[in-house]
Amino acid sequence: MNRSDSGPETLRQLAALNRVARIALEDLELRPMLQRVVDALHEEFGWEYVACARVDVANGEFTCEALYTELETDVEIGYGRALGSGVVGECALSGRTFDINDVSAHPNFVDTLHGARSELCVPIRYGE
């Protein structure tokens, strides 16, 4: 990081990442740990919708394990789909980050959060 990147917003974001990393290192079962991460991301960034999914490569699917939402959504804990299905499934299958500004232009978008116009999906490996 250079000096121009060390403003208050950058420091706040780094502190939020540090908080999430500390949660991930605590001795918790997977689902409670992911719920604490989701809650921390909401608190730190004010996001109205945050979810974490577990990937089951052997069965070719992903499942929502933690969720914070202020919005109507089809997603709930236990919701899942096939790997490759939608942005989350595409992210889970490829291991790539997707930052989509206009979901209407993304051919694999699945509308589970009605009215969403953008989507960010980041793959995170844990315990490997």
Side-chain angles (χ1 to χ4, degrees), residues 5-47:
D5 292 336
S6 61
E9 181 64 15
T10 300
L11 293 176
R12 186 183 70 77
Q13 291 170 348
L14 289 172
L17 291 174
N18 186 322
R19 179 178 175 198
V20 168
R22 283 194 319 268
I23 292 168
L25 292 173
E26 292 177 2
D27 188 22
L28 297 171
E29 296 287 327
L30 180 64
R31 191 171 274 178
M33 183 267 296
L34 291 177
Q35 189 61 55
R36 289 194 58 200
V37 166
V38 161
D39 293 341
L41 290 171
H42 160 70
E43 290 167 14
E44 296 292 339
F45 296 104
W47 295 335

Side-chain angles (χ1 to χ4, degrees), residues 71-124:
L71 308 168
E72 284 192 44
T73 178
D74 297 339
V75 176
E76 58 188 29
I77 303 299
Y79 172 90
R81 286 199 318 272
L83 291 179
S85 169
V87 176
V88 175
E90 198 172 343
C91 175
L93 185 63
S94 70
R96 293 188 346 248
T97 295
F98 287 81
D99 185 3
I100 302 167
N101 289 323
D102 180 5
V103 295
S104 69
H106 190 77
N108 199 17
F109 175 70
V110 173
D111 188 10
T112 59
L113 182 67
H114 311 294
R117 294 180 299 213
S118 62
E119 186 166 349
L120 171 64
C121 191
V122 179
I124 299 171

